[in-house]
């Protein structure tokens, strides 16, 4: 099985079945992609639109076309020199009569993680109709992986993406079992907090959230932090740091939706106190202590210390409590912290703390305002040294915003004074659109700021798309309304305000010119982040449709049907020799960079990553002494690239076809014209 040169994620569903994916193979081959990256493809519950609610892992999805259609797709991909990476869901299954293991009383307790006292089951996050599986049981693993591993052994699937391994009792053991059973190339959906490193598991790496957030932060001007923080406090009255809001939200989750999980933990160790605080304060998604082997590493000890956990609970979690606390307590505690963190931070606090929405994405930290070039190089080199074949992404089906929307919003940090003036002016212009709901102004200041940022990031946007996004954002924030008990009056008032903006001529006259400026800055930043994704160590992952500008918001908005004919026509034009337009610059860069990766596979598979000095405003590096990439963060026409002796000489510009001579000091401005980035290949 071969490692991918680049993956292309397809969200299969009623409008994109196996046969539809097969029809895309020629287009994706011509684009330069080496592997189709398919969303879950096993039998899901009737009417599923995403495949994560599997009810029969022994069958390929019949609604998607079944085994015959999947095999036809795999054969077409192989004939085109392409492979398949398949997303699988080992942590949970959909419950109900369609699931024969759930329906069979003899199998329920063996396959599913049931509480023997209450009959309740471990859920996927707080979703009641998704029940946790006991993959630590060899029979459960064998049954639920029989079909997938058969596809791997037949060579129909080259690699696996593992959804939510942190929910498993023994993630490391599960991944070792996969490797032993023949799954050579595996990526894990794992969120790493701060400076946390992926454990030395038998995997190729993660799905790339670390890169996504580092690349976005690079293009956030740190000079904007103080003025945007002051503006946020002025608009909302919120002066607490993000960490305080995150902890508050995590405690709400621990004491609310996850109370059954805490009750089960408490029964296992009734003498231990403070479980809710400990779960909420853990600085990582989870620790990986192994009670069955006695393994406790320093990273786990440090996490427990950082959470302020001490005394008997710390001793229990670090296996120092003797025989008083059952092993199950430690395992179950570790399975409980990830969903509390995810639901508390990403699905609550990210919708409450809105200082700069570009920073509020999966795996991100809204408190980290920007990233300097040196730190980016260090973090990239560290990841390359540990897992050089991790995926690199700027958008997935789980991100809160597309890379293009994120790039626009990040650009606001570089125009903070103008942004402040614009927002305050828009507030004044639209005062008549706000409503009084029981003595409270709707939308409140935080919600107004959410709407203004969303419009700038995704403009133009339809009323229907904006309404769908706002319903989710308001309910996820859980401030004035929520999913369990929606406040229809409040929601209606916010929706009226948002819809009114789209028809409010004075607002639009002020808004549209500013939004156009932000869009131009965003396109430049998005192209730079795309260049980095295509050239730093790792495997670039493209999300469906994202080869042209994609202004999508959180799911289900980011799973809308893609206009494939438009993309086919655009690529055909480039292949016929037409120069790129502003609309096709992303597509052009992807195609040229993937051609380069195909010509120089060793350079990108094993080549060195050598940072080059071009000042604090430009990211530049060499790969294997054969490729140089240059990406100014902000307008940097006066910057100079300092070229080391071993790189001096003639270079070919992959984008323009021109020749450049790199000498000791080369002006960056000349290198990056006309696209704002440069991709150079060593001349023969």
């Amino acid at each position: 099985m071969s490692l991918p040169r680049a993956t292309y994620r397809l969200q299969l569903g009623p409008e994109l079945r196996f046969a539809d994916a097969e029809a895309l193979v020629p287009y994706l081959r011509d684009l330069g992609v080496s592997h189709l990256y398919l969303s879950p493809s096993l039998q899901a519950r009737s009417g599923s639109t995403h495949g994560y609610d599997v009810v029969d892992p022994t069958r390929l999805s019949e609604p998607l076309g079944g085994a015959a259609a999947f095999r036809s797709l795999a054969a077409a991909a192989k004939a085109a020199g392409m492979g398949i990476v398949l997303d699988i869901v080992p942590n949970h299954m959909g419950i109900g009569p369609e699931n024969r293991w759930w329906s069979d009383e003899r199998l329920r307790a063996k396959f599913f993680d049931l509480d023997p006292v209450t009959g309740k089951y471990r859920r996927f996050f707080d979703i009641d109709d998704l029940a946790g599986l006991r993959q630590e049981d060899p029979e459960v693993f064998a049954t639920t992986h029989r079909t997938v591993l058969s596809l791997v052994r037949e060579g129909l699937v080259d690699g696996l993406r593992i959804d939510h391994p942190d929910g498993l009792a023994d993630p490391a053991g599960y991944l070792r079992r996969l490797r032993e059973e023949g799954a050579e190339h595996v990526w894990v959906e794992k969120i790493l907090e701060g400076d946390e490193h992926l454990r030395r598991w038998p995997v190729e790496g993660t799905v790339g959230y670390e890169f996504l957030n580092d690349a976005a932060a690079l293009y956030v001007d740190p000079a904007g932090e103080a003025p945007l923080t002051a503006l946020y406090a002025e608009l909302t009255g919120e002066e607490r740091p993000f960490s305080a809001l995150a902890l508050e939200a995590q405690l709400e989750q621990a004491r609310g939706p996850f109370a059954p999980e805490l009750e089960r933990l408490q029964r296992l160790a009734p003498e231990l106190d403070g479980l809710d605080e400990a779960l909420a304060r853990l600085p990582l998604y989870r620790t990986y202590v192994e009670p069955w082997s006695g393994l406790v590493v320093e990273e786990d000890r440090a996490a427990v210390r950082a959470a302020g956990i001490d005394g008997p609970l710390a001793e229990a979690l670090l296996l120092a409590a003797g025989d008083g606390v059952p092993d199950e307590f430690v395992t179950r505690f570790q399975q409980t912290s990830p969903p509390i963190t995810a639901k508390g931070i990403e699905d609550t606090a990210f919708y409450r703390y809105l200082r700069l929405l570009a920073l509020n994405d999966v795996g991100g930290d809204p408190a980290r305002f920007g990233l300097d070039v040196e730190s980016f190089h260090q973090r990239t080199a560290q990841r390359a040294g540990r897992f050089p074949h991790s995926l690199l992404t700027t958008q997935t089906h789980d991100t809160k915003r597309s890379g293009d929307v994120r790039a626009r919003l990040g650009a606001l940090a570089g125009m903070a004074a103008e942004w402040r003036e614009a927002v305050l002016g828009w507030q004044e212009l639209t005062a008549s659109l706000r409503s009084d709901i029981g003595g409270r102004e709707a939308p409140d200041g935080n919600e107004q700021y959410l709407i203004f940022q969303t419009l700038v990031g995704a403009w133009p946007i339809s009323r229907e798309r904006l309404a769908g996004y706002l319903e989710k954002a308001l309910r996820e924030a859980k401030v004035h309304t929520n999913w369990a008990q929606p406040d229809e009056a409040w929601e209606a008032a916010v929706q009226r305000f948002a819809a009114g903006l789209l028809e409010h001529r004075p607002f639009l006259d002020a808004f549209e010119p500013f939004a156009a400026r932000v869009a131009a800055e965003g396109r430049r930043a998005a192209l730079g982040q795309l260049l980095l994704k295509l050239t730093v160590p790792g495997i670039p992952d493209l999300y469906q449709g994202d080869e042209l500008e994609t202004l999508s918001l959180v799911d289900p908005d980011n799973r809308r049907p893609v206009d494939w004919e438009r993309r086919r026509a655009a690529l055909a034009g480039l292949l016929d020799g037409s120069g790129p337009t502003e609309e096709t610059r992303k597509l052009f860069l992807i195609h040229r960079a993937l051609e380069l990766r195909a010509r120089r596979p060793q350079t990108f598979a094993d080549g060195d990553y050598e940072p080059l000095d071009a000042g604090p405003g430009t990211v530049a590096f060499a790969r294997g002494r054969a490729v140089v990439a240059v990406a100014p963060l902000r307008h940097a026409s006066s910057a100079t690239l300092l070229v080391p002796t071993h790189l001096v000489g003639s270079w070919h510009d992959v984008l323009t076809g021109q020749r450049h001579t790199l000498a000791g000091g080369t002006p960056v401005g000349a290198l990056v014209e006309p696209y704002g980035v440069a991709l150079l290949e060593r001349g023969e």
Side-chain angles (χ1 to χ4, degrees):
M1 294 185 291
S2 61
L3 275 167
R5 178 171 64 250
T7 59
Y8 191 100
R9 172 80 178 199
L10 291 174
Q11 289 298 116
L12 302 176
E15 297 183 2
L16 188 66
R17 304 166 75 239
F18 294 142
D20 303 311
E22 182 176 341
L24 292 173
V25 166
Y27 164 71
L28 296 177
R29 175 202 60 208
D30 293 344
L31 181 61
V33 170
S34 69
H35 282 69
L36 306 181
Y37 173 15
L38 303 181
S39 62
S41 301
L42 301 177
Q43 184 67 32
R45 66 161 55 101
S46 297
S48 175
T49 59
H50 48 72
Y52 284 94
D53 44 2
V54 175
V55 293
D56 187 351
T58 68
R59 290 189 295 145
L60 285 157
S61 170
E62 293 297 338
L64 295 181
F70 182 89
R71 289 178 175 277
S72 180
L73 166 60
K78 186 174 182 180
M82 300 169 66
I84 290 177
V85 172
L86 184 61
D87 190 348
I88 65 170
V89 192
N91 173 71
H92 56 270
M93 288 172 63
I95 66 173
E98 292 180 282
N99 185 330
R100 66 178 183 268
W101 295 274
W102 181 261
S103 300
D104 189 331
E105 290 291 340
R106 296 170 302 170
L107 296 176
R108 258 175 95 171
K110 183 173 188 62
F111 274 73
F112 297 96
D113 189 359
L114 300 180
D115 185 334
V117 175
T118 66
K120 295 179 180 178
Y121 47 90
R122 178 175 60 85
R123 301 163 294 173
F124 172 65
F125 289 7
D126 59 350
I127 303 174
D128 290 337
D129 57 8
L130 296 177
L133 284 163
R134 298 184 61 251
Q135 291 292 357
E136 63 272 25
D137 185 296
E139 183 181 341
V140 175
F141 179 96
T143 301
T144 56
H145 289 76
R146 182 182 305 130
T147 296
V148 165
L149 290 173
S150 171
L151 296 173
V152 170
R153 293 180 189 120
E154 286 185 64
L156 300 179
V157 168
D158 286 340
L160 301 175
R161 182 259 197 193
I162 307 303
D163 183 71
H164 191 49
D166 275 346
L168 302 176
D170 179 15
Y174 168 82
L175 294 166
R176 285 194 296 270
R177 178 77 183 272
L178 275 183
R179 175 64 61 87
E180 292 165 0
E181 295 287 343
E184 184 180 352
H185 303 307
V186 172
W187 292 267
V188 287
E189 187 222 14
K190 167 63 184 164
I191 291 175
L192 301 172
E193 295 282 12
D195 294 325
E196 180 187 7
H197 295 296
L198 182 64
R199 302 296 170 97
R200 291 289 189 181
W201 291 336
V203 299
E204 300 293 355
T206 72
V207 297
Y209 298 142
E210 317 85 60
F211 170 81
L212 177 153
N213 286 288
D214 282 358
L218 262 178
Y219 285 82
V220 171
D221 189 341
E225 180 170 16
L228 289 188
T229 302
L231 173 62
Y232 189 55
E234 181 179 356
L235 295 172
T236 67
E238 182 58 79
E239 297 183 345
R240 291 176 296 169
F242 173 72
S243 58
L245 278 78
L247 176 60
E248 178 180 77
Q250 287 173 276
L251 285 169
E252 288 175 11
Q253 292 296 309
R255 295 165 180 168
F258 292 94
E261 283 76 6
L262 266 72
E263 291 168 6
R264 188 173 181 182
L265 279 170
Q266 199 72 73
R267 286 202 311 273
L268 290 169
E271 70 279 13
L272 297 180
D273 298 324
L275 298 186
D276 53 352
E277 290 275 351
L279 286 161
R281 292 182 181 275
L282 199 70
L284 312 176
Y285 264 58
R286 66 167 283 172
T287 54
Y288 299 93
V289 171
E290 297 182 357
W292 52 89
S293 70
L295 177 67
V296 184
V297 299
E298 178 53 32
E299 291 97 323
D300 296 327
R301 299 182 193 279
V304 170
R305 289 195 301 269
I309 304 171
D310 55 17
L313 179 54
E315 293 176 357
L317 294 176
L318 298 174
L319 308 184
D323 298 329
V325 178
D327 290 350
E328 183 188 353
F329 173 85
V330 178
T331 299
R332 196 164 296 286
F333 184 97
Q334 295 181 128
Q335 289 177 283
T336 304
S337 65
I340 287 176
T341 301
K343 295 300 295 183
I345 294 180
E346 294 180 10
D347 290 346
T348 304
F350 276 13
Y351 290 93
R352 293 180 180 175
Y353 183 86
L354 313 177
R355 179 177 62 167
L356 183 63
L357 290 180
L359 306 177
N360 294 28
D361 224 312
V362 181
D365 179 4
R368 185 184 73 166
F369 202 100
L371 183 70
D372 62 78
V373 171
E374 182 179 359
S375 296
F376 176 80
H377 285 315
Q378 290 173 348
R379 291 171 64 83
T380 300
Q382 287 172 355
R383 288 194 293 267
R386 294 173 65 87
F387 293 96
H389 303 130
S390 280
L391 295 182
L392 306 168
T393 191
T394 47
Q395 179 179 355
T396 74
H397 58 289
D398 282 330
T399 48
K400 306 298 185 188
R401 292 159 192 87
S402 66
D404 291 323
V405 171
R406 200 180 310 112
R408 287 187 180 188
L409 293 170
L412 295 176
M415 50 180 75
E418 299 150 273
W419 172 241
R420 178 182 186 276
E421 182 180 355
V423 169
L424 295 179
W426 299 340
Q427 274 198 323
E428 185 176 343
L429 281 173
T430 59
S432 63
L433 299 179
R434 300 194 284 273
S435 303
D436 182 282
I437 304 295
R440 300 174 299 165
E441 184 178 72
D444 66 16
N446 208 33
E447 292 161 342
Q448 292 171 51
Y449 199 44
L450 168 72
I451 293 168
F452 291 144
Q453 287 191 71
T454 300
L455 289 178
V456 166
W459 191 260
I461 186 171
S462 69
R463 177 173 179 168
E464 293 73 24
R465 286 181 58 214
L466 182 59
Y469 171 74
L470 288 176
E471 179 185 74
K472 181 165 186 172
L474 295 175
R475 293 183 181 183
E476 294 282 38
K478 308 170 190 70
V479 175
H480 298 295
T481 185
N482 57 61
W483 293 106
Q485 295 178 310
D487 185 327
E488 295 180 359
W490 186 274
E491 290 184 5
V494 175
Q495 296 285 13
R496 282 196 304 272
F497 175 83
L501 294 177
L502 305 184
E503 300 174 352
H504 192 283
R505 197 64 256 169
F507 166 73
L508 293 175
D509 288 342
F511 170 82
E512 289 180 324
F514 185 87
R517 285 186 52 219
V518 175
E521 286 297 306
R523 291 187 187 104
R524 186 184 59 78
L527 203 68
Q529 293 175 48
L530 177 59
L531 175 71
L532 299 179
K533 178 169 76 171
L534 294 164
T535 52
V536 302
I539 297 169
D541 170 38
L542 306 171
Y543 188 72
Q544 62 176 31
D546 196 36
E547 57 271 37
L548 297 180
E549 186 174 55
T550 302
L551 301 175
S552 58
L553 303 170
V554 73
D555 68 281
D557 191 66
N558 62 16
R559 306 185 193 195
R560 287 172 293 137
V562 173
D563 185 345
W564 296 112
E565 287 308 312
R566 179 181 167 212
R567 285 156 178 79
R568 284 190 181 101
L571 181 59
L574 293 176
L575 295 176
D576 287 343
S578 301
T581 63
E582 184 172 315
E583 180 189 34
T584 60
R585 281 189 174 185
K586 283 175 64 180
L587 179 69
F588 175 69
L589 175 57
I590 291 167
H591 180 252
R592 288 294 176 89
L594 295 186
E595 277 189 330
L596 176 62
R597 292 182 72 100
R599 281 197 306 273
R600 293 185 176 270
Q602 289 306 116
T603 296
F604 289 96
D606 304 310
D608 296 333
Y609 177 78
E610 180 185 0
L612 302 178
D613 186 358
T618 301
V619 177
F621 52 89
R623 297 297 311 276
R625 300 193 176 193
V627 171
V628 166
V630 183
L633 304 183
R634 287 161 277 283
H635 296 291
S637 58
S638 61
T640 299
L641 175 66
L642 301 182
V643 182
T645 303
H646 61 271
L647 296 180
V648 169
S650 177
W651 291 76
H652 171 253
D653 190 323
V654 171
L655 302 180
T656 67
Q658 297 178 349
R659 289 282 176 181
H660 292 283
T661 299
L662 296 187
T666 301
V668 168
L671 289 178
V672 301
E673 287 296 326
Y675 302 116
V677 296
L679 180 56
L680 309 178
E681 182 179 15
R682 176 78 84 171
E684 296 299 334

